[in-house]
Amino acid sequence: MGAWSGFAVTFRQMFRRRVTTSYPEEKRQKPVRFHGRHVLNRYPDGMEKCIGCELCAGVCPARCIYVRGRENPPGAPVGPGERYGYVYEINLLRCIFCGLCVEACPTEAITMTHLFEMSVTRRRDAMYTRDELLMDAEGTVPHPQPPGPLADLDELRRPDGWMRATSPSGRAAYEGVVAWTPIAGWGLPPAERGQSAPPAVEEGEG
Ligand code: SF4
Ligand code: SF4
């Protein structure tokens, strides 16, 4: 009898909607706020956005970011501020893709993209340094997987949602308002839509 119950379960499943897909040929649309690999952004004039403040490293719960800042050379500044991040490393074997580094960054230098295919065969290849993270003037970065079905490099241009939870732009009242600066090679990303949370009532508001 037990065996027939098992067959009945299998038979019922045959008529249910399939939840699996034939990855990588068939890819699902990712949620707007999907957290994939990181990139370090530049301003449209090519200046680096990272100011080497180390806030991202300080907030990271997995302790997987290492940053060192350095004074900008007066004759040939790398960024618009006093300092820039001349060492920047993320150990992606430890990263839990929480996005807190993105939240903490005061200049929108570090962001996450929709690209998650980043398997490697050597541990050291999972340590992304400035070379792998910092985008060029066209807004692209080196990636371990070649372009193809396994790595849609266009996903590097899809940021992880633009309304940050801890900033005023995370309020529903700010839906549709672009709150981020333009990025080299990408221009101004569109504002995120679909915010469903009710607007927070701030202290002093009626
Ligand atoms: S996503 Fe989270 S765990 Fe990963 S580097 Fe950023 S803060 Fe650290
Ligand atoms: S990425 Fe942002 S938070 Fe991290 S060091 Fe650079 S400016 Fe500071």
Side-chain angles (χ1 to χ4, degrees):
M1 189 64 186
W4 289 111
S5 320
F7 284 134
V9 170
T10 307
F11 188 73
R12 278 202 303 275
Q13 291 299 325
M14 286 166 63
F15 298 99
R16 294 212 172 137
R17 193 171 68 84
R18 195 164 53 95
V19 293
T20 53
T21 59
S22 300
Y23 176 85
E25 292 79 18
E26 192 185 333
K27 288 194 179 185
R28 284 202 173 134
Q29 179 80 32
K30 297 191 178 89
V32 175
R33 294 190 179 194
F34 183 86
H35 287 178
R37 69 154 284 182
H38 304 69
V39 292
L40 280 173
N41 301 303
R42 291 179 189 268
Y43 291 106
D45 63 2
M47 288 282 194
E48 293 181 19
K49 287 189 171 183
C50 179
I51 54 174
C53 66
E54 301 179 25
L55 282 176
C56 51
V59 79
C60 176
R63 295 283 179 264
C64 62
I65 302 183
Y66 177 66
V67 187
R68 288 185 68 185
R70 174 187 273 171
E71 301 283 315
N72 260 311
V78 178
E82 260 178 46
R83 286 153 52 93
Y84 73 103
Y86 84 102
V87 175
Y88 201 104
E89 295 173 5
I90 301 182
N91 180 347
L92 286 172
L93 293 175
R94 294 177 62 175
C95 176
I96 57 172
F97 295 91
C98 61
L100 285 178
C101 49
V102 178
E103 295 275 347
C105 181
T107 62
E108 304 149 12
I110 184 90
T111 54
M112 297 169 95
T113 70
H114 277 196
L115 188 56
F116 74 88
E117 288 94 350
M118 43 190 147
S119 55
V120 289
T121 51
R122 297 179 305 176
R123 288 169 65 89
R124 68 168 175 267
D125 291 341
M127 316 296 157
Y128 280 27
T129 65
R130 260 173 71 89
D131 290 344
E132 286 84 30
L133 292 166
L134 188 63
M135 63 169 54
D136 61 21
E138 277 71 50
T140 58
V141 289
H143 191 69
Q145 275 76 42
L150 203 53
D152 176 4
L153 297 192
D154 280 350
E155 291 189 325
L156 288 171
R157 289 171 178 255
R158 285 182 212 133
D160 64 324
W162 298 105
M163 298 172 76
R164 292 191 280 184
T166 51
S167 70
S169 56
R171 293 169 50 188
Y174 281 73
E175 180 170 332
V177 177
V178 176
W180 288 59
T181 54
I183 293 172
W186 301 4
L188 195 61
E192 182 187 350
R193 295 190 179 275
Q195 186 85 357
S196 55
V201 178
E202 288 178 355
E203 219 175 311
E205 280 186 1

